[in-house]
Amino acid sequence: WLSAPAASLTFSLLWRFTGPPGQLAGLSLAVGVALARGLENLGASGIRLKWPNDVLLEGDGDFAKLAGILIELASDRRGTQAIIGIGLNLQPPAEDLPQPAAGLAQAMTNLPDRHVVLASILSALAEVLESFAVDGFFGLKTEWQQRHAYQGKPVKLVLPDGGAVKGTVAGVDASGALVLADGPRRSRFLSGELSLRRA
C-alpha cells in the first residue's frame, strides 16, 4: 500500500473464529461492509464496494480506489485465526498509480483525526464480525449488494489462469461468490479481478 506519512491508515486485526476455515467464505466482503459502515458513520458519502476486496469512492460518474482488504487464515486445534489487513487512503495518493485512487478527505467535509477513523472502523468491524460468526455472509449479502459499484452492470472478470469472462453482475450468493449473467445463464466465481466493460 503506497502512502506518504500520515496520508493513510494501515493496520491488521486478528480475529479468532471457532469454526473451520470453510465457514469463512465471504469474509472479505463482510469486512468491506464494516469498512463502509465505519466510514459512513463518520459522515463519508459515495462509499462503494467492489468484489471481492476493494472499497471505492464514487465521484463524477466514476470510481477510484479508497481502501483495500487482505485476509490471511491460519488454523489450529482452537479454530481459525483470520488476520484482516486494511489499507485506507486518508488523502489522495500523489504517486502515479495504475488505477484511479482517492482519499477519505474527498468523501467528507472535515476529515477526522486518524484515531477517530480507526475507532469507527474497529467498532463497525466488531459488530459485523459478531454477526458473521452467527449467520455467515448471508446476513450481510443485501447490504453488500446495495453498495456494490458494479451491481447490474456489464463487466469483464479476469480469472487467475489469465482467461476472461464477460457478463452482467447479477450479485453475489450467500457464500460471497460473484454471480455473472449471460442471458438466462448464471455462473458463479470465487476469484478474479473485476472491471467495468465500457461501451
Side-chain angles (χ1 to χ4, degrees):
W1 195 261
L2 296 175
S3 174
S8 76
L9 180 63
T10 54
F11 66 95
S12 294
L13 171 72
L14 173 65
W15 180 55
R16 298 187 189 280
F17 178 70
T18 55
Q23 292 181 6
L24 294 179
L27 179 57
S28 67
L29 280 71
V31 171
V33 169
L35 256 174
R37 280 189 197 175
L39 299 178
E40 288 165 358
N41 288 342
L42 293 170
S45 60
I47 306 296
R48 300 291 178 263
L49 300 174
K50 178 188 172 191
W51 184 88
N53 54 8
D54 285 343
V55 179
L56 308 178
L57 182 62
E58 184 175 11
D60 299 325
D62 211 347
F63 302 103
K65 186 168 180 175
L66 181 65
I69 300 159
L70 181 64
I71 297 177
E72 293 184 16
L73 301 178
S75 298
D76 59 26
R77 65 182 185 282
R78 296 171 297 172
T80 304
Q81 295 82 50
I83 299 93
I84 301 167
I86 293 174
L88 168 68
N89 294 326
L90 299 175
Q91 300 293 338
E95 296 90 349
D96 186 20
L97 301 173
Q99 63 181 0
L104 184 59
Q106 297 168 280
M108 49 202 323
T109 308
N110 296 303
L111 181 66
D113 180 85
R114 281 182 298 167
H115 299 95
V116 174
V117 176
L118 178 61
S120 184
I121 292 171
L122 290 176
S123 176
L125 275 167
E127 184 180 78
V128 165
L129 292 175
E130 190 174 305
S131 166
F132 186 92
V134 176
D135 300 321
F137 178 66
F138 177 77
L140 300 160
K141 175 183 159 185
T142 300
E143 185 177 354
W144 189 91
Q145 287 188 163
Q146 288 169 346
R147 292 188 176 96
H148 191 207
Y150 299 169
Q151 188 70 22
K153 296 183 178 176
V155 296
K156 179 172 82 169
L157 180 67
V158 179
L159 303 172
D161 65 4
V165 178
K166 294 179 180 179
T168 300
V169 176
V172 290
D173 66 13
S175 69
L178 181 73
V179 180
L180 291 186
D182 183 6
R185 186 168 156 243
R186 299 282 187 275
S187 302
R188 61 189 295 275
F189 300 90
L190 297 171
S191 61
E193 179 62 32
L194 196 62
S195 62
L196 277 175
R197 242 170 58 215
R198 301 294 183 188

Coordinates of all heavy atoms in Angstrom, one line a residue, residues 43-44 104-111:
G43 N -19.6 10.3 8.5 CA -20.2 11.3 7.6 C -19.7 11.2 6.1 O -20.0 12.0 5.3
A44 N -18.9 10.1 5.8 CA -18.4 9.9 4.5 C -19.6 9.6 3.5 O -20.5 8.9 3.9 CB -17.3 8.9 4.4
L104 N -10.0 9.6 1.7 CA -11.2 9.8 2.5 C -11.6 11.3 2.6 O -12.7 11.7 2.7 CB -11.0 9.2 3.9 CG -12.2 9.2 4.9 CD1 -13.4 8.5 4.3 CD2 -11.8 8.6 6.2
A105 N -10.5 12.1 2.6 CA -10.8 13.6 2.7 C -11.7 14.1 1.5 O -12.4 15.1 1.7 CB -9.4 14.3 2.6
Q106 N -11.8 13.3 0.4 CA -12.6 13.7 -0.7 C -14.1 13.3 -0.5 O -14.9 13.7 -1.2 CB -12.1 13.1 -2.0 CG -10.7 13.6 -2.4 CD -10.1 12.7 -3.5 OE1 -9.6 11.6 -3.2 NE2 -10.2 13.2 -4.7
A107 N -14.3 12.4 0.5 CA -15.6 11.9 0.8 C -16.4 12.6 1.9 O -17.5 12.3 2.2 CB -15.5 10.4 1.1
M108 N -15.7 13.6 2.5 CA -16.3 14.3 3.7 C -15.9 15.7 3.8 O -14.8 16.1 3.2 CB -16.1 13.5 5.0 CG -14.7 13.1 5.2 SD -14.4 11.7 6.3 CE -15.7 11.9 7.5
T109 N -16.6 16.5 4.5 CA -16.3 17.9 4.6 C -15.1 18.1 5.5 O -14.2 18.9 5.2 CB -17.5 18.7 5.2 OG1 -18.7 18.3 4.5 CG2 -17.3 20.2 5.2
N110 N -15.1 17.5 6.7 CA -13.9 17.6 7.6 C -13.4 16.2 7.9 O -14.1 15.4 8.4 CB -14.3 18.3 8.9 CG -14.8 19.7 8.6 OD1 -14.0 20.5 8.1 ND2 -16.0 20.1 9.0
L111 N -12.1 16.0 7.6 CA -11.5 14.7 7.9 C -11.2 14.6 9.3 O -10.4 15.4 9.8 CB -10.3 14.5 7.0 CG -9.5 13.2 7.2 CD1 -10.4 12.0 6.6 CD2 -8.2 13.2 6.4

